[in-house]
Amino acid sequence: MAVRWELIQRDPASMARRGRLHTPHGVIETPVFMPVGTQATVKTLSPEEVWDLGARIILSNTYHLYLRPGHDLVREAGGLHTFMNWPGAILTDSGGFQVFSLSDLRKITEEGVHFRSHIDGSSHFLSPEKAIEIENALGADIIMAFDECTPWPCEHDYAKRSLERTTRWAARCKAAHARPDSQALFGIVQGSTYADLRRQSAAEIVDLDFPGYAIGGLSVGEPKELMHEMLEITVPLLPGDRPRYLMGVGSPEDLVEGVWRGIDMFDCVLPTRIARHGTVFLPDGKMTVRNAEFARDFMPIQEGCDCYACRNYSRAYIRHLLKAEEMLGLRLCSIHNLRFLVRLMEEIRAALEAGRFAEYRREFLSRWHAGEEARRTGAKAGPAEPALPENR
């Protein structure tokens, strides 16, 4: 296999597990959060900075790279690793989520999806075979099968038809995959928030025997309790010797809860997206550093944080940069948020190794939720934080 997952330790109190993902571009310690570099870049940061944060695997997107600059150009450059000068592992999404979320005009058929580019309105057709052709050209270590990500809420009948089409597309992706020795193709379980459909999809996708499995169609607006329920139903149905990837989830509390329910891999644009609005992660919840209350606050974003931003700059300075619309402000917030999540996963792995993950989860979630509630009810008035989706 191009990618192999190794179990190191199981948590006795939950479905959590500690492992290692062996890829052609290095060994990835799991559980792991993957920063998103949609267009062959993590927004505002250089690959060297992302590496220095401790990230060893990132995600890029097939849809965006197909439209611009084109997969043939990336292949000519020597593949995505060479093109963007990234030494670590890369996972590419199939582009299915973007086709369904970004395209105003689209038509789904059994053969694939006709859609218009969100860039210039030009017409395109993406099939399972075309998605795999693009991903083969990009050359990522892990590539995703082309699937349909249904919205929430979604009628049961449509979700059933959609997941069955996703299964047929997954089989076509596997048949079209030309580089199985150097790229691992992961299958995706769908089924919306219906227990019977999640079970059906898991059975069908596992039957196709992929080297790894993703859970898609969650964190698309459903209540967190429903997401947790779907994970508790789905994860036990996936092979224990293969990596499990929860797509599009990246808020700190969801990472902790996802690991508790047996997830090994996560990705999300959330940390860099909210950073561009001046919102940063703290152990006791999110804080919007561009608010007026921080104008004369000369503390770092987070005391004790080892990131470049916290070691060198104050909240007051970063707020000034944000208010002046200076790029450095966005970069510093992005650096902090990504390092926060990378370090969170380091702490989770250490807690798993020490056999105290249940205690770590309880302490983290108690502090996080208490802080979020305190800010919601008692924080000083300031510019409202924008409502942003947590998906890619």
Coordinates of all heavy atoms in Angstrom, one line a residue, residues 195-242:
A195 N -29.3 7.1 10.6 CA -28.5 6.0 11.1 C -28.5 4.8 10.1 O -27.5 4.2 9.9 CB -29.1 5.5 12.5
D196 N -29.7 4.5 9.6 CA -29.8 3.4 8.6 C -28.9 3.6 7.4 O -28.3 2.7 6.9 CB -31.2 3.1 8.3 CG -31.9 4.2 7.5 OD1 -31.7 5.4 7.9 OD2 -32.7 3.9 6.6
L197 N -28.9 4.9 6.9 CA -28.1 5.2 5.7 C -26.6 5.2 6.0 O -25.8 4.8 5.1 CB -28.6 6.5 5.1 CG -30.1 6.6 4.7 CD1 -30.3 7.9 4.0 CD2 -30.4 5.4 3.8
R198 N -26.2 5.7 7.2 CA -24.8 5.6 7.5 C -24.3 4.2 7.6 O -23.3 3.8 7.1 CB -24.6 6.3 8.9 CG -24.6 7.8 8.8 CD -23.4 8.4 8.1 NE -23.6 9.8 7.8 CZ -22.6 10.6 7.2 NH1 -21.5 10.0 6.9 NH2 -22.9 11.8 7.0
R199 N -25.2 3.3 8.1 CA -24.8 1.9 8.2 C -24.7 1.3 6.8 O -23.8 0.5 6.5 CB -25.8 1.1 9.0 CG -25.8 1.5 10.5 CD -26.7 0.5 11.3 NE -26.8 0.9 12.7 CZ -27.8 1.6 13.2 NH1 -28.8 2.0 12.5 NH2 -27.8 2.0 14.5
Q200 N -25.7 1.6 5.9 CA -25.7 1.1 4.6 C -24.4 1.6 3.8 O -23.7 0.8 3.2 CB -26.9 1.6 3.8 CG -26.9 1.1 2.3 CD -28.1 1.7 1.6 OE1 -29.1 2.1 2.2 NE2 -28.0 1.7 0.2
S201 N -24.1 2.9 3.9 CA -23.0 3.5 3.2 C -21.7 2.9 3.7 O -20.8 2.5 2.9 CB -23.0 5.0 3.4 OG -21.9 5.6 2.6
A202 N -21.6 2.7 5.0 CA -20.3 2.2 5.6 C -20.1 0.8 5.1 O -19.0 0.4 4.7 CB -20.4 2.2 7.1
A203 N -21.2 0.0 5.0 CA -21.0 -1.4 4.6 C -20.6 -1.5 3.1 O -19.7 -2.3 2.7 CB -22.4 -2.2 4.8
E204 N -21.2 -0.6 2.3 CA -20.9 -0.6 0.8 C -19.5 -0.1 0.6 O -18.8 -0.7 -0.3 CB -22.0 0.2 0.1 CG -23.4 -0.4 0.1 CD -24.4 0.5 -0.5 OE1 -24.1 1.7 -0.9 OE2 -25.6 0.1 -0.6
I205 N -19.1 0.9 1.2 CA -17.8 1.5 1.0 C -16.7 0.6 1.5 O -15.6 0.4 0.8 CB -17.6 2.9 1.6 CG1 -18.6 3.9 0.9 CG2 -16.2 3.5 1.5 CD1 -18.4 4.1 -0.6
V206 N -16.9 0.0 2.7 CA -15.9 -0.9 3.2 C -15.8 -2.1 2.3 O -14.7 -2.7 2.2 CB -16.3 -1.3 4.7 CG1 -15.5 -2.5 5.2 CG2 -16.1 -0.2 5.6
D207 N -16.9 -2.6 1.7 CA -16.8 -3.7 0.9 C -15.9 -3.5 -0.4 O -15.4 -4.5 -0.9 CB -18.2 -4.1 0.4 CG -18.3 -5.4 -0.3 OD1 -17.8 -6.4 0.3 OD2 -18.8 -5.5 -1.5
L208 N -15.7 -2.2 -0.7 CA -14.8 -1.9 -1.8 C -13.3 -2.0 -1.5 O -12.5 -1.9 -2.3 CB -15.2 -0.5 -2.4 CG -16.5 -0.4 -3.1 CD1 -16.8 1.0 -3.4 CD2 -16.5 -1.2 -4.4
D209 N -13.0 -2.1 -0.2 CA -11.7 -2.3 0.4 C -10.7 -1.2 0.0 O -9.8 -1.4 -0.9 CB -11.2 -3.7 -0.1 CG -9.9 -4.1 0.6 OD1 -9.6 -3.6 1.7 OD2 -9.1 -4.8 0.0
F210 N -10.9 -0.1 0.6 CA -9.9 1.1 0.5 C -8.9 1.0 1.6 O -9.1 0.5 2.6 CB -10.7 2.4 0.5 CG -11.6 2.6 -0.7 CD1 -12.9 2.4 -0.6 CD2 -11.0 3.1 -1.9 CE1 -13.8 2.7 -1.7 CE2 -11.9 3.3 -3.0 CZ -13.2 3.1 -2.9
P211 N -7.7 1.6 1.3 CA -6.7 1.7 2.4 C -7.0 2.7 3.5 O -6.2 2.8 4.5 CB -5.4 2.1 1.6 CG -5.9 2.8 0.4 CD -7.2 2.2 0.0
G212 N -8.0 3.5 3.4 CA -8.5 4.4 4.4 C -9.9 4.9 4.1 O -10.4 4.7 3.0
Y213 N -10.5 5.4 5.2 CA -12.0 5.7 5.0 C -12.2 7.1 5.6 O -11.7 7.4 6.7 CB -12.8 4.7 5.7 CG -12.7 3.3 5.1 CD1 -11.7 2.4 5.5 CD2 -13.5 3.0 4.0 CE1 -11.6 1.2 4.8 CE2 -13.4 1.7 3.3 CZ -12.4 0.9 3.8 OH -12.2 -0.3 3.1
A214 N -13.0 7.9 4.9 CA -13.4 9.2 5.4 C -14.9 9.2 5.7 O -15.7 8.4 5.1 CB -13.1 10.3 4.4
I215 N -15.3 10.0 6.6 CA -16.7 10.3 6.9 C -17.0 11.7 6.4 O -16.5 12.6 7.0 CB -17.0 10.1 8.4 CG1 -16.6 8.7 8.9 CG2 -18.5 10.4 8.7 CD1 -16.7 8.5 10.4
G216 N -17.9 11.7 5.4 CA -18.3 13.0 4.8 C -19.7 13.4 5.2 O -20.4 12.6 5.8
G217 N -20.1 14.6 4.8 CA -21.5 15.0 5.0 C -21.8 15.4 6.4 O -23.0 15.5 6.7
L218 N -20.8 15.7 7.2 CA -21.1 16.2 8.6 C -20.4 17.5 8.7 O -19.7 18.0 7.9 CB -20.5 15.2 9.6 CG -21.2 13.8 9.7 CD1 -20.5 12.9 10.7 CD2 -22.7 14.0 10.0
S219 N -20.8 18.2 9.8 CA -20.3 19.6 10.0 C -20.8 20.5 8.8 O -20.1 21.4 8.3 CB -18.8 19.7 10.1 OG -18.4 21.0 10.6
V220 N -22.0 20.3 8.4 CA -22.6 21.1 7.3 C -23.9 21.8 7.8 O -24.7 22.2 7.0 CB -23.0 20.2 6.1 CG1 -21.7 19.7 5.4 CG2 -23.9 19.0 6.5
G221 N -23.9 22.0 9.1 CA -25.0 22.8 9.7 C -25.9 22.0 10.7 O -26.7 22.6 11.4
E222 N -25.7 20.7 10.8 CA -26.4 19.9 11.7 C -26.0 20.2 13.2 O -24.9 20.6 13.4 CB -26.3 18.4 11.4 CG -25.0 17.7 11.9 CD -23.8 18.0 11.0 OE1 -23.9 18.7 10.0 OE2 -22.7 17.5 11.4
P223 N -26.9 19.9 14.2 CA -26.5 20.1 15.6 C -25.3 19.1 15.9 O -25.2 18.0 15.3 CB -27.8 19.7 16.3 CG -28.9 19.8 15.4 CD -28.3 19.6 14.0
K224 N -24.4 19.6 16.8 CA -23.3 18.8 17.1 C -23.7 17.4 17.7 O -23.0 16.4 17.5 CB -22.4 19.5 18.1 CG -21.7 20.7 17.5 CD -20.7 21.4 18.5 CE -20.1 22.6 17.9 NZ -19.2 22.4 16.7
E225 N -24.8 17.4 18.4 CA -25.2 16.1 19.0 C -25.5 15.1 17.9 O -25.3 13.9 18.0 CB -26.5 16.3 19.8 CG -26.3 17.1 21.1 CD -26.2 18.6 20.8 OE1 -26.6 19.0 19.7 OE2 -25.8 19.4 21.7
L226 N -26.1 15.6 16.8 CA -26.3 14.7 15.6 C -25.0 14.2 15.0 O -24.9 13.0 14.6 CB -27.2 15.4 14.6 CG -28.7 15.1 14.5 CD1 -29.3 15.9 13.4 CD2 -28.9 13.6 14.4
M227 N -24.0 15.1 14.9 CA -22.7 14.7 14.4 C -22.1 13.6 15.2 O -21.6 12.6 14.8 CB -21.8 15.9 14.3 CG -20.4 15.5 13.8 SD -19.3 16.9 13.4 CE -18.9 17.4 15.1
H228 N -22.2 13.8 16.6 CA -21.6 12.8 17.5 C -22.3 11.5 17.3 O -21.7 10.4 17.3 CB -21.7 13.3 18.9 CG -21.0 14.6 19.2 ND1 -21.2 15.4 20.3 CD2 -19.9 15.2 18.5 CE1 -20.3 16.4 20.3 NE2 -19.6 16.3 19.2
E229 N -23.7 11.5 17.2 CA -24.4 10.3 17.0 C -24.0 9.6 15.8 O -23.9 8.3 15.8 CB -25.9 10.6 17.0 CG -26.8 9.4 16.8 CD -28.3 9.8 16.7 OE1 -28.7 10.9 17.0 OE2 -29.1 8.9 16.2
M230 N -23.9 10.3 14.7 CA -23.5 9.6 13.4 C -22.1 9.0 13.5 O -21.8 8.0 13.0 CB -23.5 10.6 12.3 CG -24.9 11.1 11.9 SD -26.1 9.8 11.5 CE -27.1 9.7 13.0
L231 N -21.2 9.7 14.2 CA -19.8 9.1 14.4 C -19.9 7.8 15.2 O -19.2 6.8 14.9 CB -18.9 10.1 15.1 CG -18.5 11.4 14.3 CD1 -17.6 12.3 15.1 CD2 -17.8 11.0 13.0
E232 N -20.7 7.9 16.3 CA -20.8 6.7 17.2 C -21.4 5.5 16.4 O -21.1 4.3 16.7 CB -21.6 7.0 18.4 CG -20.9 8.0 19.3 CD -21.8 8.6 20.4 OE1 -23.0 8.3 20.4 OE2 -21.3 9.5 21.1
I233 N -22.2 5.8 15.4 CA -22.8 4.7 14.6 C -21.8 4.2 13.6 O -21.7 3.0 13.3 CB -24.1 5.2 13.9 CG1 -25.2 5.4 15.0 CG2 -24.6 4.3 12.8 CD1 -26.4 6.1 14.5
T234 N -21.1 5.2 12.9 CA -20.3 4.9 11.7 C -19.0 4.3 12.1 O -18.5 3.3 11.4 CB -20.2 6.1 10.9 OG1 -21.5 6.7 10.6 CG2 -19.5 5.8 9.6
V235 N -18.2 4.9 13.0 CA -16.8 4.5 13.2 C -16.7 3.0 13.5 O -15.8 2.4 13.0 CB -16.2 5.4 14.3 CG1 -14.9 4.9 14.8 CG2 -16.1 6.9 13.8
P236 N -17.5 2.4 14.4 CA -17.3 1.0 14.7 C -17.5 0.1 13.5 O -17.0 -1.1 13.5 CB -18.4 0.7 15.7 CG -18.7 2.0 16.4 CD -18.6 3.0 15.3
L237 N -18.1 0.6 12.4 CA -18.3 -0.2 11.2 C -17.1 -0.1 10.2 O -17.1 -0.9 9.3 CB -19.6 0.3 10.5 CG -20.9 0.3 11.3 CD1 -22.0 0.9 10.5 CD2 -21.2 -1.1 11.8
L238 N -16.1 0.7 10.5 CA -15.0 0.9 9.7 C -13.8 -0.1 10.2 O -13.7 -0.3 11.4 CB -14.5 2.3 9.7 CG -15.5 3.3 9.2 CD1 -15.0 4.7 9.3 CD2 -16.1 3.0 7.8
P239 N -13.0 -0.6 9.3 CA -11.9 -1.5 9.7 C -11.0 -0.9 10.7 O -10.6 0.3 10.6 CB -11.2 -1.8 8.3 CG -12.2 -1.5 7.3 CD -13.0 -0.4 7.8
G240 N -10.7 -1.7 11.7 CA -9.8 -1.2 12.8 C -8.4 -0.9 12.4 O -7.6 -0.3 13.1
D241 N -8.0 -1.5 11.2 CA -6.6 -1.4 10.8 C -6.4 -0.3 9.8 O -5.3 -0.2 9.1 CB -6.0 -2.7 10.3 CG -6.8 -3.2 9.1 OD1 -7.9 -2.7 8.8 OD2 -6.3 -4.1 8.4
R242 N -7.4 0.5 9.5 CA -7.3 1.6 8.5 C -7.5 2.9 9.1 O -8.3 3.0 10.1 CB -8.3 1.3 7.4 CG -8.3 -0.1 6.8 CD -7.1 -0.4 6.0 NE -7.0 -1.8 5.6 CZ -7.6 -2.4 4.5 NH1 -8.2 -1.6 3.7 NH2 -7.4 -3.6 4.3

